[in-house]
Amino acid sequence: MIIQDIEKILKTAIQKSCYENEELFVSFSALPKICDFQFNGCFLIAKRYKSKPNDIAINIVKNIEKDEFFIFNVCPPGYINISLTNKAYDYYANLFLKDDRLGINKKEKSEKVLLDYGGANIAKALHVGHLRSPIIGESLKRLYKFMGDEVISDVHLGDWGLQMGLTELQLFEDGVLNYYFTGEGEEPKLTLEMLNDAYPKASLRKNIDINFKNKADEWTLKIQEKKEPYFTIYEKIKKVSVEKIKRHYKELGAEFDLWLGESDCYNYIPIVLDIIKNKGLSKENDGTVTVDVAIEGENIPIPKKEPDEQQRYKNPMPPAILKKYNGGVLYATTDIATIYMRNKMYDNLDRIEYIVDLRQSLHFTQVFRVCKMSEISPINQKLIHIGYGTMNGKDGKPFKTRSGESIKLEDIIDLLINKAKDKLKANGVTYDNDLALKIGVGAMKFGDLSNNVSKDYVFDIEKFMSFEGKTGPYIQYTVCRINSILEKVINSQQKIKIFSQEEKEIMKAIFKLQQAYEQSYKEKTLNSLCLATYDLASAFSTFYNIHKIVTEENEEKKQSLISLIVLVKKQLIQALNILAIEIPEKM
Ligand code: ARG
């Protein structure tokens, strides 16, 4: 907001100086001791007009009328430095305090977005690989909405693949499913434990026993063709799984508008296969249906098998496979049919975005290309894969148990809760499970979101859970601290007058936080928002270490300080709300 105000003044002055300049970039100062903001555009203008940047800067500043909020100075060799007057601090502080949106503008144009995140697979236990999608997706959803987009979230369960056939076949061989095939005995009660036992066993077997794998393929096809009793059993397995998945997502604070899955696009699969065929895009070979999506001359990196491997081979993009030899459909097929279905369900979707592991980027490139080539996705619709990096252990390798298995999501959540309990105990705070969950999950989320989405990061619970430093608990704690100050005073006058440098620093941190919303929106990663939120919390702490509020004798000053910390609190709560981090009552 403030940057736009400065840009407006500069724009008028630039026009008055008879320069054209469409790209107007005012940024925060790189030298905050010297000025608050800076404009570097004179170098660009100078190039265009074959003149000296410093002369351009002098000309522009000459054409700026004296302003009560901003002071513009030329700084050789051609920068324009901008500083705020005291009046400006007061003006913006009061403006933000009274504004419902705390001074953060919506985007000019609202877009309709379908966000695909979560992506848990039924029959398989959720593991650490499923942690980042709901965390990132939930925050992006909240950010997009806040910035003015209309967002529909879909969990897109993995419920139509080989894992169903594998699990059923294993359960059958373990003798659990006899009732459904013979009608004898009692109907078994399928439990989560049974599934958690069956799937990993079957998954190992399929790699060493080709007969088992082929049979599982057959069973999967029978389920996909809705043959009985395979389909009924599948639905029971799904119900048990989904109950558990819902519980996990609730603990993680992820909420979905749609609880659809791969299976829901079932009716659209023949339709999309027809569309693709009629456009002459697909090839059929012994029942296998593929679409060539390679672009001439294009080379794609093949991921390294071993981290130490030196070479990355280059190859053309492999074709998308839409149907297997036995008629079964694949991951790409359901994703294509789902895009078709989504466009049937909603008019004018501007974007469909997928928050899915970066390692699936080849899959999404193939799917998106097929949808664009066949016009299943309208020309103007953006299909975007927001690929996230891997969560590693301290050894820099994907986070695993000691015996090398993937860590279950359940165990991670327990770990976080227990660690939070230890912390609370050490701080002498009485707690319950709910409080520990808020802090534990908050720590995890902040630890995750403060990294660029596409980067790998290390799961370091000690660091995430620290009550000091760039952590979730530190920011939660700051809000609790402000709350406890506010309990001791009455805020009778909502008016801010900035007195000290520390208060100015708080305001500057708020300006930066406001800009971080836009930056995070543009970059589709929340690290700048996390960092700016931390900086505001930290500016508050510095301020509060020096200034007293409760015992301040000058009533006008006291009221102003109270109003200022109310503003800080509102800003922190707003940011935590976007990050989907809950605020504990005490810490
Ligand atoms: N179930 C998938 C997996 O576990 C993730 C689904 C992501 N969404 C999608 N539309 N493909 O890998």
Side-chain angles (χ1 to χ4, degrees):
M1 186 179 254
I2 190 165
I3 288 193
Q4 274 116 303
D5 291 349
I6 300 172
E7 285 175 346
K8 217 184 273 163
I9 297 172
L10 273 171
K11 200 169 222 159
T12 316
I14 290 172
Q15 274 162 359
K16 259 196 198 162
S17 322
C18 301
Y19 303 126
E20 272 173 48
N21 181 29
E22 309 81 49
E23 317 105 275
L24 235 173
F25 294 126
V26 169
S27 55
F28 287 94
S29 165
L31 299 167
K33 287 222 168 79
I34 296 175
C35 60
D36 302 315
F37 296 91
Q38 63 189 60
F39 174 63
N40 306 346
C42 299
F43 296 92
L44 245 165
I45 304 176
K47 234 187 219 161
R48 207 174 292 150
Y49 289 87
K50 302 200 175 17
S51 168
K52 286 202 195 106
N54 214 53
D55 295 344
I56 306 270
I58 292 171
N59 264 338
I60 294 175
V61 170
K62 233 194 284 166
N63 278 314
I64 296 177
E65 274 161 41
K66 200 172 155 26
D67 192 276
E68 54 175 346
F69 290 163
F70 309 108
I71 302 159
F72 295 84
N73 280 316
V74 177
C75 168
Y79 299 102
I80 297 178
N81 288 350
I82 303 137
S83 302
L84 302 189
T85 63
N86 286 340
K87 240 186 171 162
Y89 283 106
D90 294 346
Y91 169 76
Y92 284 102
N94 288 296
L95 188 71
F96 300 159
L97 185 66
K98 294 198 177 77
D99 182 13
D100 285 347
R101 296 184 51 87
L102 308 172
I104 304 146
N105 291 341
K106 278 192 185 177
K107 293 183 309 136
E108 270 166 33
K109 196 179 156 283
S110 161
E111 292 190 15
K112 201 194 264 185
V113 190
L114 194 138
L115 216 53
D116 178 319
Y117 65 96
N121 298 317
I122 68 140
K124 295 191 206 175
L126 267 84
H127 61 81
V128 41
H130 291 108
L131 187 58
R132 297 203 71 190
S133 180
I135 292 179
I136 299 164
E138 184 64 27
S139 293
L140 280 180
K141 176 184 79 184
R142 293 178 183 210
L143 178 65
Y144 291 176
K145 281 190 180 173
F146 184 61
M147 298 306 276
D149 283 338
E150 183 189 333
V151 190
I152 304 135
S153 54
D154 181 9
V155 67
H156 198 73
L157 298 171
D159 60 359
W160 210 233
L162 180 62
Q163 85 269 20
M164 322 176 301
L166 284 170
T167 309
E168 270 197 39
L169 180 59
Q170 185 64 46
L171 287 172
F172 176 74
E173 295 201 350
D174 288 345
V176 179
L177 303 179
N178 284 344
Y179 166 84
Y180 296 104
F181 289 87
T182 62
E184 282 163 24
E186 268 184 43
E187 183 172 355
K189 193 171 159 21
L190 293 177
T191 64
L192 205 63
E193 289 68 37
M194 289 177 183
L195 304 184
N196 287 349
D197 179 54
Y199 175 72
K201 252 205 284 188
S203 175
L204 281 179
R205 264 182 87 186
K206 80 164 192 302
N207 297 333
I208 44 175
D209 181 350
I210 184 74
N211 287 333
F212 182 78
K213 159 82 172 53
N214 289 343
K215 211 162 169 201
D217 268 342
E218 261 170 49
W219 279 55
T220 306
L221 187 61
K222 281 178 183 150
I223 299 168
Q224 290 183 345
E225 287 170 346
K226 302 204 172 178
K227 295 231 166 84
E228 290 300 348
Y230 306 91
F231 190 68
T232 301
I233 303 169
Y234 158 74
E235 285 195 307
K236 304 224 178 231
I237 293 177
K238 181 168 172 179
K239 189 162 173 274
V240 176
S241 269
V242 170
E243 273 167 21
K244 176 77 171 178
I245 292 168
K246 286 199 168 163
R247 219 176 319 140
H248 276 326
Y249 284 150
K250 194 161 177 231
E251 284 171 327
L252 292 175
E255 292 158 6
F256 299 92
D257 300 312
L258 304 175
W259 273 87
L260 298 177
E262 293 165 352
S263 66
D264 290 286
C265 70
Y266 173 78
N267 289 331
Y268 299 106
I269 290 178
I271 302 179
V272 294
L273 288 173
D274 263 359
I275 295 176
I276 294 166
K277 188 173 170 189
N278 292 340
K279 297 237 171 192
L281 298 169
S282 49
K283 282 189 194 152
E284 207 172 328
N285 195 344
D286 279 342
T288 307
V289 177
T290 57
V291 178
D292 265 330
V293 289
I295 293 174
E296 221 181 85
E298 171 189 56
N299 278 320
I300 55 143
I302 300 293
K304 294 182 216 176
K305 277 226 169 69
E306 292 293 327
D308 321 319
E309 221 173 277
Q310 286 298 314
Q311 225 176 342
R312 268 187 173 222
Y313 298 102
K314 302 241 171 179
N315 264 340
M317 173 85 52
I321 308 174
L322 305 191
K323 230 176 191 185
K324 280 204 239 193
Y325 68 96
N326 68 354
V329 296
L330 293 101
Y331 189 35
T333 332
T334 54
D335 261 330
I336 294 166
T338 303
I339 291 177
Y340 181 85
M341 178 181 78
R342 287 172 177 167
N343 280 300
K344 283 253 165 244
M345 289 171 72
Y346 302 101
D347 288 333
N348 308 320
L349 279 178
D350 295 295
R351 301 173 349 235
I352 305 181
E353 298 190 1
Y354 298 80
I355 294 113
V356 184
D357 197 315
L358 195 61
R359 289 169 290 190
Q360 292 194 21
S361 66
L362 179 68
H363 163 76
F364 284 106
T365 307
Q366 293 178 321
V367 166
F368 295 168
R369 284 189 188 173
V370 174
C371 288
K372 287 300 174 193
M373 285 154 70
S374 59
E375 291 172 62
I376 285 171
S377 159
I379 298 176
N380 293 329
Q381 181 168 78
K382 290 192 202 104
L383 302 174
I384 302 167
H385 172 209
I386 302 173
Y388 54 80
T390 309
M391 189 172 107
N392 288 328
K394 278 198 181 151
D395 57 359
K397 297 198 175 129
F399 201 40
K400 294 245 160 87
T401 59
R402 281 214 187 119
S403 54
E405 290 150 34
S406 233
I407 297 183
K408 285 211 204 111
L409 189 60
E410 194 164 6
D411 296 336
I412 295 209
I413 294 178
D414 280 350
L415 196 69
L416 293 167
I417 292 179
N418 289 333
K419 197 83 199 163
K421 284 182 179 169
D422 290 347
K423 281 269 169 188
L424 289 165
K425 208 185 283 169
N427 287 3
V429 180
T430 44
Y431 60 84
D432 56 15
N433 224 46
D434 198 42
L435 183 65
L437 182 73
K438 278 183 189 166
I439 296 172
V441 170
M444 176 70 231
K445 286 188 174 180
F446 197 87
D448 185 305
L449 296 171
S450 48
N451 298 286
N452 189 301
V453 165
S454 63
K455 296 269 164 10
D456 296 350
Y457 74 90
V458 172
F459 176 81
D460 183 344
I461 193 164
E462 296 296 334
K463 196 170 112 193
F464 293 176
M465 202 65 86
S466 168
F467 279 25
E468 275 155 45
K470 290 178 192 163
T471 68
Y474 173 69
I475 296 164
Q476 290 172 318
Y477 177 66
T478 307
V479 177
C480 289
R481 213 167 152 202
I482 297 178
N483 276 337
S484 85
I485 302 168
L486 292 175
E487 274 168 21
K488 298 191 189 94
V489 293
I490 295 168
N491 191 193
S492 54
Q493 222 180 346
Q494 282 87 36
K495 194 159 183 265
I496 301 175
K497 181 153 177 46
I498 300 291
F499 291 95
S500 64
Q501 188 57 35
E502 290 74 33
E503 292 159 69
K504 285 186 182 172
E505 294 305 326
I506 287 183
M507 285 306 297
K508 284 190 211 172
I510 292 178
F511 296 141
K512 284 201 176 152
L513 178 58
Q514 294 178 335
Q515 213 222 4
Y517 283 86
E518 253 172 63
Q519 194 177 341
S520 283
Y521 180 89
K522 236 189 270 157
E523 298 174 347
K524 301 187 190 294
T525 166
L526 293 126
N527 44 321
S528 18
L529 188 63
C530 286
L531 189 64
T533 308
Y534 164 75
D535 283 342
L536 176 58
S538 158
F540 165 80
S541 297
T542 309
F543 155 82
Y544 194 59
N545 284 342
I546 299 176
H547 299 272
K548 49 187 181 358
I549 298 179
V550 181
T551 54
E552 172 59 53
E553 278 158 18
N554 177 333
E555 188 57 27
E556 195 192 333
K557 186 169 176 190
K558 182 173 177 178
Q559 284 304 321
S560 169
L561 293 179
I562 297 170
S563 303
L564 181 65
I565 67 168
V566 167
L567 175 61
V568 172
K569 175 182 151 178
K570 285 187 180 174
Q571 296 276 358
L572 292 178
I573 289 179
Q574 172 60 55
L576 287 177
N577 188 24
I578 298 288
L579 301 172
I581 294 178
E582 291 197 57
I583 298 154
E585 310 71 56
K586 57 182 180 197
M587 274 175 87

